[in-house]
Amino acid sequence: VSDWSSDVCSSDLTIHKIDVSALGEFARERFVGSNLVFGCSSNREHLEILQLAVKYFGQVPAGQPIARLPKPLVHVGKNVHAMGIEQVHMMLGCPAPCRSDERHFAAVLLSMVLGDGPSSRMFMSIREKRGLVYAIQSHYEAKSNVGMLDIYCALAPENVPLVLDLIGEELKTFSLIPPWQEEVERAKCKYRTQVTIERESSLGGVSNLVGPYLSLGRIQPFSELMELIEDVRPAQIHSLARDLFRPEQMSISLVGNVKGLNPNELVLAF
């Protein structure tokens, strides 16, 4: 084993904490016929795929479908964890629309305009203009009953207070002024391109079939996705930003060289 390699299998203590019986019970409850969804991206006929599914999974117990979980409670807080590295990895997060929420596609575009890629607001303002971070980006994740929008950046420890202030300014601006039409159109074009490219691979194609089915209970055609993203207007993104970007529902976590950083002094004011 090279001196440059690292063991990624976790520690013996962590492995031994795994309850094998609980793991088996979880598998028996979840991996049953009523919870399985089959997706296929190929040139095979539907009947052929159906016959293969019956052949290899026909003996799987029907079981009980998983009950839809209630919307989880949001716990806002500040977390600091020291690690022996030079940089600080900082993440801010807030609740966001779930996959079935009618504001879902507004959230997709909001994240893109805010911090998805080198033409986004935070990248241009905090990284390119001021050079205060090694990387900065926003990410929106939507599940069946909950969603989250987070902002991640890697930076030097001494830049944490200033970067927090600048992120706060960007969020405040987003909450006060609707995004420009040009920004929104650029984000729409990026989304259309990403979805189209994803569909070119077998994995991307089948994921785009199964994902919406699990969240919405139906297959969402490609044409519908394009229509829904095209229908989003800057005013809708602005309205969503005003709902999401509130200091009282933003959590902050820092990992890395956090010596001298007091969690109580980490303030996101806007």
Side-chain angles (χ1 to χ4, degrees), residues 39-43 196-210:
C40 182
S41 177
S42 74
N43 62 352
T196 302
I197 292 176
E198 285 175 0
R199 288 166 56 87
E200 293 298 317
S201 71
S202 298
L203 176 60
V206 77
S207 296
N208 284 320
L209 290 174
V210 173

Side-chain angles (χ1 to χ4, degrees), residues 33-53:
S34 57
N35 292 327
L36 293 177
V37 176
F38 289 89
C40 182
S41 177
S42 74
N43 62 352
R44 300 293 185 177
E45 294 294 331
H46 174 77
L47 180 59
E48 183 180 356
I49 300 300
L50 181 60
Q51 290 171 339
L52 289 172

Side-chain angles (χ1 to χ4, degrees), residues 106-119:
V108 170
L109 296 179
L110 186 158
S111 178
M112 285 187 164
V113 172
L114 179 65
D116 187 355
S119 61

Side-chain angles (χ1 to χ4, degrees), residues 6 81-90 134 152-158 254-259 261:
S6 298
H81 180 70
M83 289 184 67
I85 57 177
E86 295 182 3
Q87 301 84 21
V88 171
H89 296 270
M90 180 168 67
Y134 305 110
Y152 162 80
C153 57
L155 66 166
E158 61 270 19
L254 288 86
V255 175
N257 185 6
V258 296
K259 184 178 180 180
L261 292 174

Side-chain angles (χ1 to χ4, degrees), residues 3-249:
D3 292 339
W4 295 97
S5 65
S6 298
D7 184 0
V8 296
C9 295
S10 191
S11 66
D12 289 342
L13 179 62
T14 302
I15 297 298
H16 287 301
K17 282 184 177 180
I18 297 176
D19 187 332
V20 177
S21 61
L23 188 62
E25 183 64 24
F26 177 86
R28 286 189 291 273
E29 289 180 356
R30 298 301 180 97
F31 295 101
V32 294
S34 57
N35 292 327
L36 293 177
V37 176
F38 289 89
C40 182
S41 177
S42 74
N43 62 352
R44 300 293 185 177
E45 294 294 331
H46 174 77
L47 180 59
E48 183 180 356
I49 300 300
L50 181 60
Q51 290 171 339
L52 289 172
V54 171
K55 177 180 178 181
Y56 291 105
F57 293 90
Q59 301 303 314
V60 174
Q64 295 294 324
I66 301 172
R68 184 171 291 274
L69 298 174
K71 186 175 181 179
L73 297 175
V74 176
H75 299 280
V76 178
K78 300 173 183 178
N79 300 284
V80 174
H81 180 70
M83 289 184 67
I85 57 177
E86 295 182 3
Q87 301 84 21
V88 171
H89 296 270
M90 180 168 67
M91 180 170 284
L92 299 83
C94 66
C98 65
R99 182 61 180 83
S100 59
D101 194 307
E102 61 182 8
R103 303 172 298 168
H104 167 71
F105 289 97
V108 170
L109 296 179
L110 186 158
S111 178
M112 285 187 164
V113 172
L114 179 65
D116 187 355
S119 61
S120 63
R121 290 188 178 188
M122 289 193 303
F123 191 97
M124 293 296 294
S125 172
I126 300 174
R127 186 185 187 280
E128 290 299 290
K129 182 178 179 180
R130 295 179 174 87
L132 292 172
V133 296
Y134 305 110
I136 187 165
Q137 63 189 47
S138 62
H139 174 70
Y140 166 56
E141 186 74 24
K143 302 300 183 183
S144 60
N145 66 340
V146 68
M148 183 182 77
L149 190 146
D150 60 68
I151 298 167
Y152 162 80
C153 57
L155 66 166
E158 61 270 19
N159 291 337
V160 169
L162 178 55
V163 170
L164 268 178
D165 287 343
L166 293 173
I167 291 175
E169 289 180 10
E170 291 294 337
L171 300 184
K172 180 179 180 180
T173 300
F174 225 125
S175 300
L176 294 175
I177 305 171
W180 306 325
Q181 185 67 42
E182 180 183 353
E183 291 179 300
V184 176
E185 292 303 321
R186 186 165 58 232
K188 288 181 180 180
C189 181
K190 182 175 182 178
Y191 176 83
R192 289 193 297 265
T193 302
Q194 287 179 344
V195 173
T196 302
I197 292 176
E198 285 175 0
R199 288 166 56 87
E200 293 298 317
S201 71
S202 298
L203 176 60
V206 77
S207 296
N208 284 320
L209 290 174
V210 173
Y213 191 88
L214 290 173
S215 300
L216 306 176
R218 65 182 181 88
I219 294 175
Q220 195 165 39
F222 178 75
S223 59
E224 182 182 335
L225 286 175
M226 297 299 100
E227 290 175 5
L228 289 170
I229 203 73
E230 188 60 36
D231 288 343
V232 178
R233 298 292 177 259
Q236 294 171 283
I237 301 174
H238 179 223
S239 175
L240 179 60
R242 293 175 64 183
D243 289 341
L244 300 187
F245 298 152
R246 299 177 181 177
E248 66 271 16
Q249 60 182 18

